[in-house]
Amino acid sequence: MSDTDADAPPTTESNALRTPIVAVLGHVDHGKTTLLDKIRGSAVSEGEAGAITQHIGATAVPLETVSQMAGSLVKPEDFDLPGLLFIDTPGHHSFSTLRSRGGALADIAIVVVDVNDGFQPQTIEALDILKRTGTPFVVAANKIDTTPGWNPNEGSPIQGTYEDQSDNARQRLDQNLYEIIGNLSDEGFSADLYWRVQNFQKNVGVVPLSAMTGEGIPDLLAVLMGLSQRYMKEEMAVDVAGPGAGTVLEVKEERGFGATVDVVLYDGSVREDDTIVVGGVNGPIVTEVRALLQPRPNAEIRTEKRFDKVEEVAAAAGIKIAAPDLDDAMAGAPIRVVRDRSVEAVIEDVESELAEIEVDTEEEGVVVKADTLGSLEAMANALREAEVPILRAEVGDVAPRDVAVASTAREDDHKVILGFNVDVLSNAEDELEKTGDVRLFEDDVIYQLVEEYEEFVAERKRAQQ
Ligand code: GDP
């Protein structure tokens, strides 16, 4: 690749390859935030201006920087993907609410597992979500620096360091790593230490690393780049001049701009003055882009101007969009640019995407119906707090299909439909009567609805005693 090619911004031509979007998942305290900070921090300390670009809600690490960080493990000439875009908010709640047309918004996930703590409930939850959305992932076996006797050898590929350790440390680490590989296999994934993996599409690579010392991060970056370059290139081919498609991360009030949406754009581009359709609490919102805003580097003082305006932004990118009428926009909702199609067709698209949201499902759980995506998320959160599993969660009135789904629940406690602010279709009432064993609870106050359900469960328990 010539210098000119390497320097060219990857987003100016049509049909360019976009940056793969990477999300970090894993159990609480296993090191997700530390890992993201370390990747951002080491990229910056490489010292180059433009080593990373801080987007709204995400950090872009260009190929050049990835390559500087990963040393000989990532040679720029082997890649034509422009780098990696890391979503800044770790955790599977944000992962599962951030969806795109095809499933998950993120193209790849990093599942962080503390080597000493091993698999924990949220590790398994994260894997379930990845399984369901078919998202490829890598496991970061984190905190290897805590293995007694372990001598971090910064800068060298982990495999070399690993081979050099004293027997004690090595055995202990080996044991922990094999336990993680075994646990992955219990969850239905064939996994191995990453340097033994031939095909990252079929096998999950486990990368031992320390988010604290940075050891192993070059290896992680190399695996992420290799995985995307080899298996995801076609999905990364986007028409960057085409109408943008993205997902709303957050709705925020900004002084001087009113309600704005923070968006991750995964396809096409958004320009100033574009007409956009954004998913809202009361259905699609049609509006016009007033300003596209990026965080201003080093703007830490609150009184300082915090954003730079840009005229256009192309996928993959995080961007803040200021536009009229965004007060009712929803986190997790789709956003589409209207350019070559009719507004009606785009509205229809957005509506159909709003119609269904799936949350962390297990083999068992209750069925939840709500009037909007926002209230559905609130319901899902309330139920999570009450440790009530959810089998299916959807926007819309209670339909016969919901009764059929609820009746498949293994436990009677879960043969339940919770309807928030929705109607019950008359054929669903017939179905309820016919099935006989499905209970329906309805309310327009979330906590009351959850309480009614909890009381029902408690009463059943008392009756059984
Ligand atoms: P999160 O909840 O998954 O985001 O976890 P954090 O990134 O907040 O990390 C939880 C704790 O583990 C913090 O005290 C970190 O300093 C510590 N930690 C994270 N990564 C490492 C590591 O590689 N080595 C060591 N020794 N500690 C780590």
Side-chain angles (χ1 to χ4, degrees), residues 70-94:
S72 60
L73 297 179
V74 176
K75 299 195 184 81
E77 61 268 25
D78 295 337
F79 296 89
D80 46 20
L81 289 172
L84 298 166
L85 185 79
F86 291 89
I87 295 180
D88 287 338
T89 333
H92 62 261
H93 290 328
S94 68

mmCIF file of all heavy atoms in Angstrom, residues 70-94:
data_model
loop_
_atom_site.group_PDB
_atom_site.id
_atom_site.type_symbol
_atom_site.label_atom_id
_atom_site.label_comp_id
_atom_site.label_asym_id
_atom_site.label_seq_id
_atom_site.Cartn_x
_atom_site.Cartn_y
_atom_site.Cartn_z
ATOM 1 N N ALA A 70 0.100 -3.063 18.069
ATOM 2 C CA ALA A 70 0.224 -4.520 18.002
ATOM 3 C C ALA A 70 1.573 -4.954 17.455
ATOM 4 O O ALA A 70 1.857 -6.148 17.366
ATOM 5 C CB ALA A 70 -0.908 -5.091 17.160
ATOM 6 N N GLY A 71 2.415 -4.005 17.077
ATOM 7 C CA GLY A 71 3.749 -4.327 16.588
ATOM 8 C C GLY A 71 3.689 -5.265 15.409
ATOM 9 O O GLY A 71 2.860 -5.104 14.512
ATOM 10 N N SER A 72 4.518 -6.305 15.450
ATOM 11 C CA SER A 72 4.624 -7.177 14.287
ATOM 12 C C SER A 72 3.367 -8.018 14.061
ATOM 13 O O SER A 72 3.217 -8.666 13.044
ATOM 14 C CB SER A 72 5.825 -8.103 14.464
ATOM 15 O OG SER A 72 5.614 -8.867 15.642
ATOM 16 N N LEU A 73 2.466 -8.013 15.042
ATOM 17 C CA LEU A 73 1.280 -8.869 14.915
ATOM 18 C C LEU A 73 0.265 -8.320 13.919
ATOM 19 O O LEU A 73 -0.563 -9.063 13.403
ATOM 20 C CB LEU A 73 0.596 -9.043 16.281
ATOM 21 C CG LEU A 73 1.419 -9.744 17.361
ATOM 22 C CD1 LEU A 73 0.635 -9.834 18.653
ATOM 23 C CD2 LEU A 73 1.851 -11.123 16.900
ATOM 24 N N VAL A 74 0.266 -7.019 13.667
ATOM 25 C CA VAL A 74 -0.647 -6.438 12.685
ATOM 26 C C VAL A 74 0.170 -5.600 11.700
ATOM 27 O O VAL A 74 0.629 -4.514 12.029
ATOM 28 C CB VAL A 74 -1.731 -5.553 13.351
ATOM 29 C CG1 VAL A 74 -2.599 -4.875 12.295
ATOM 30 C CG2 VAL A 74 -2.611 -6.384 14.290
ATOM 31 N N LYS A 75 0.364 -6.135 10.501
ATOM 32 C CA LYS A 75 1.075 -5.380 9.472
ATOM 33 C C LYS A 75 0.048 -4.673 8.605
ATOM 34 O O LYS A 75 -0.816 -5.327 8.025
ATOM 35 C CB LYS A 75 1.905 -6.335 8.610
ATOM 36 C CG LYS A 75 2.962 -7.091 9.378
ATOM 37 C CD LYS A 75 3.968 -7.723 8.429
ATOM 38 C CE LYS A 75 4.980 -8.568 9.164
ATOM 39 N NZ LYS A 75 4.450 -9.932 9.493
ATOM 40 N N PRO A 76 0.145 -3.351 8.497
ATOM 41 C CA PRO A 76 -0.897 -2.593 7.792
ATOM 42 C C PRO A 76 -1.132 -3.100 6.375
ATOM 43 O O PRO A 76 -2.271 -3.088 5.898
ATOM 44 C CB PRO A 76 -0.363 -1.159 7.764
ATOM 45 C CG PRO A 76 0.759 -1.108 8.715
ATOM 46 C CD PRO A 76 1.214 -2.492 9.012
ATOM 47 N N GLU A 77 -0.073 -3.580 5.730
ATOM 48 C CA GLU A 77 -0.238 -3.995 4.326
ATOM 49 C C GLU A 77 -1.120 -5.236 4.182
ATOM 50 O O GLU A 77 -1.601 -5.547 3.104
ATOM 51 C CB GLU A 77 1.127 -4.193 3.637
ATOM 52 C CG GLU A 77 2.009 -5.269 4.265
ATOM 53 C CD GLU A 77 2.955 -4.703 5.337
ATOM 54 O OE1 GLU A 77 2.613 -3.632 5.919
ATOM 55 O OE2 GLU A 77 3.989 -5.332 5.606
ATOM 56 N N ASP A 78 -1.360 -5.954 5.274
ATOM 57 C CA ASP A 78 -2.214 -7.143 5.207
ATOM 58 C C ASP A 78 -3.702 -6.817 5.337
ATOM 59 O O ASP A 78 -4.541 -7.712 5.275
ATOM 60 C CB ASP A 78 -1.857 -8.125 6.327
ATOM 61 C CG ASP A 78 -0.458 -8.678 6.165
ATOM 62 O OD1 ASP A 78 0.045 -8.651 5.014
ATOM 63 O OD2 ASP A 78 0.136 -9.122 7.161
ATOM 64 N N PHE A 79 -4.018 -5.553 5.556
ATOM 65 C CA PHE A 79 -5.413 -5.212 5.859
ATOM 66 C C PHE A 79 -5.935 -4.109 4.956
ATOM 67 O O PHE A 79 -5.203 -3.197 4.596
ATOM 68 C CB PHE A 79 -5.536 -4.745 7.321
ATOM 69 C CG PHE A 79 -5.190 -5.821 8.309
ATOM 70 C CD1 PHE A 79 -3.880 -5.981 8.747
ATOM 71 C CD2 PHE A 79 -6.161 -6.691 8.770
ATOM 72 C CE1 PHE A 79 -3.560 -6.990 9.644
ATOM 73 C CE2 PHE A 79 -5.845 -7.702 9.663
ATOM 74 C CZ PHE A 79 -4.539 -7.853 10.100
ATOM 75 N N ASP A 80 -7.204 -4.213 4.592
ATOM 76 C CA ASP A 80 -7.799 -3.043 3.967
ATOM 77 C C ASP A 80 -8.983 -2.499 4.743
ATOM 78 O O ASP A 80 -9.643 -1.570 4.324
ATOM 79 C CB ASP A 80 -8.123 -3.251 2.486
ATOM 80 C CG ASP A 80 -8.816 -4.574 2.225
ATOM 81 O OD1 ASP A 80 -9.377 -5.153 3.180
ATOM 82 O OD2 ASP A 80 -8.796 -5.020 1.063
ATOM 83 N N LEU A 81 -9.240 -3.059 5.919
ATOM 84 C CA LEU A 81 -10.236 -2.451 6.803
ATOM 85 C C LEU A 81 -9.593 -1.241 7.488
ATOM 86 O O LEU A 81 -8.418 -1.271 7.803
ATOM 87 C CB LEU A 81 -10.695 -3.455 7.861
ATOM 88 C CG LEU A 81 -11.561 -4.599 7.357
ATOM 89 C CD1 LEU A 81 -11.771 -5.620 8.462
ATOM 90 C CD2 LEU A 81 -12.893 -4.087 6.841
ATOM 91 N N PRO A 82 -10.359 -0.173 7.686
ATOM 92 C CA PRO A 82 -9.741 1.062 8.197
ATOM 93 C C PRO A 82 -9.406 1.093 9.683
ATOM 94 O O PRO A 82 -8.850 2.073 10.142
ATOM 95 C CB PRO A 82 -10.794 2.134 7.864
ATOM 96 C CG PRO A 82 -12.067 1.415 7.648
ATOM 97 C CD PRO A 82 -11.764 0.007 7.271
ATOM 98 N N GLY A 83 -9.712 0.059 10.435
ATOM 99 C CA GLY A 83 -9.386 0.084 11.865
ATOM 100 C C GLY A 83 -10.496 -0.553 12.672
ATOM 101 O O GLY A 83 -11.171 -1.466 12.182
ATOM 102 N N LEU A 84 -10.687 -0.121 13.892
ATOM 103 C CA LEU A 84 -11.729 -0.672 14.766
ATOM 104 C C LEU A 84 -12.459 0.464 15.472
ATOM 105 O O LEU A 84 -11.840 1.461 15.851
ATOM 106 C CB LEU A 84 -11.091 -1.592 15.825
ATOM 107 C CG LEU A 84 -10.356 -2.839 15.305
ATOM 108 C CD1 LEU A 84 -9.495 -3.450 16.416
ATOM 109 C CD2 LEU A 84 -11.335 -3.878 14.758
ATOM 110 N N LEU A 85 -13.765 0.318 15.632
ATOM 111 C CA LEU A 85 -14.553 1.312 16.376
ATOM 112 C C LEU A 85 -15.085 0.646 17.646
ATOM 113 O O LEU A 85 -15.900 -0.279 17.569
ATOM 114 C CB LEU A 85 -15.716 1.841 15.535
ATOM 115 C CG LEU A 85 -16.529 2.975 16.176
ATOM 116 C CD1 LEU A 85 -15.799 4.313 16.034
ATOM 117 C CD2 LEU A 85 -17.926 3.103 15.546
ATOM 118 N N PHE A 86 -14.590 1.097 18.795
ATOM 119 C CA PHE A 86 -15.012 0.506 20.070
ATOM 120 C C PHE A 86 -16.170 1.301 20.657
ATOM 121 O O PHE A 86 -16.063 2.519 20.831
ATOM 122 C CB PHE A 86 -13.858 0.519 21.076
ATOM 123 C CG PHE A 86 -12.745 -0.421 20.700
ATOM 124 C CD1 PHE A 86 -11.702 0.000 19.887
ATOM 125 C CD2 PHE A 86 -12.751 -1.728 21.148
ATOM 126 C CE1 PHE A 86 -10.678 -0.870 19.530
ATOM 127 C CE2 PHE A 86 -11.733 -2.616 20.799
ATOM 128 C CZ PHE A 86 -10.692 -2.184 19.984
ATOM 129 N N ILE A 87 -17.272 0.616 20.974
ATOM 130 C CA ILE A 87 -18.375 1.283 21.673
ATOM 131 C C ILE A 87 -17.936 1.530 23.118
ATOM 132 O O ILE A 87 -17.445 0.620 23.779
ATOM 133 C CB ILE A 87 -19.662 0.424 21.632
ATOM 134 C CG1 ILE A 87 -20.121 0.305 20.174
ATOM 135 C CG2 ILE A 87 -20.763 1.047 22.487
ATOM 136 C CD1 ILE A 87 -21.373 -0.500 19.983
ATOM 137 N N ASP A 88 -18.103 2.783 23.582
ATOM 138 C CA ASP A 88 -17.552 3.171 24.887
ATOM 139 C C ASP A 88 -18.292 2.598 26.086
ATOM 140 O O ASP A 88 -17.717 2.496 27.171
ATOM 141 C CB ASP A 88 -17.540 4.701 25.023
ATOM 142 C CG ASP A 88 -16.465 5.334 24.152
ATOM 143 O OD1 ASP A 88 -15.505 4.622 23.789
ATOM 144 O OD2 ASP A 88 -16.591 6.522 23.822
ATOM 145 N N THR A 89 -19.580 2.269 25.936
ATOM 146 C CA THR A 89 -20.336 1.758 27.075
ATOM 147 C C THR A 89 -20.249 0.245 27.096
ATOM 148 O O THR A 89 -20.845 -0.414 26.249
ATOM 149 C CB THR A 89 -21.838 2.119 26.949
ATOM 150 O OG1 THR A 89 -21.948 3.292 26.184
ATOM 151 C CG2 THR A 89 -22.484 2.238 28.289
ATOM 152 N N PRO A 90 -19.524 -0.344 28.056
ATOM 153 C CA PRO A 90 -19.444 -1.793 28.076
ATOM 154 C C PRO A 90 -20.681 -2.401 28.724
ATOM 155 O O PRO A 90 -21.466 -1.693 29.346
ATOM 156 C CB PRO A 90 -18.191 -2.067 28.903
ATOM 157 C CG PRO A 90 -18.043 -0.895 29.805
ATOM 158 C CD PRO A 90 -18.740 0.279 29.142
ATOM 159 N N GLY A 91 -20.822 -3.695 28.560
ATOM 160 C CA GLY A 91 -21.908 -4.398 29.258
ATOM 161 C C GLY A 91 -22.965 -4.892 28.304
ATOM 162 O O GLY A 91 -23.160 -4.323 27.240
ATOM 163 N N HIS A 92 -23.634 -5.988 28.711
ATOM 164 C CA HIS A 92 -24.547 -6.591 27.747
ATOM 165 C C HIS A 92 -25.896 -5.912 27.695
ATOM 166 O O HIS A 92 -26.658 -6.121 26.773
ATOM 167 C CB HIS A 92 -24.662 -8.100 27.926
ATOM 168 C CG HIS A 92 -25.206 -8.516 29.239
ATOM 169 N ND1 HIS A 92 -24.392 -8.925 30.251
ATOM 170 C CD2 HIS A 92 -26.458 -8.595 29.684
ATOM 171 C CE1 HIS A 92 -25.134 -9.239 31.283
ATOM 172 N NE2 HIS A 92 -26.395 -9.053 30.979
ATOM 173 N N HIS A 93 -26.221 -5.062 28.684
ATOM 174 C CA HIS A 93 -27.475 -4.332 28.560
ATOM 175 C C HIS A 93 -27.400 -3.395 27.380
ATOM 176 O O HIS A 93 -28.303 -3.339 26.554
ATOM 177 C CB HIS A 93 -27.805 -3.569 29.833
ATOM 178 C CG HIS A 93 -28.166 -4.488 30.950
ATOM 179 N ND1 HIS A 93 -28.799 -5.691 30.710
ATOM 180 C CD2 HIS A 93 -27.986 -4.412 32.277
ATOM 181 C CE1 HIS A 93 -28.978 -6.304 31.860
ATOM 182 N NE2 HIS A 93 -28.487 -5.556 32.825
ATOM 183 N N SER A 94 -26.292 -2.658 27.285
ATOM 184 C CA SER A 94 -26.185 -1.762 26.144
ATOM 185 C C SER A 94 -26.053 -2.585 24.861
ATOM 186 O O SER A 94 -26.609 -2.230 23.835
ATOM 187 C CB SER A 94 -25.026 -0.785 26.303
ATOM 188 O OG SER A 94 -23.793 -1.425 26.236
#
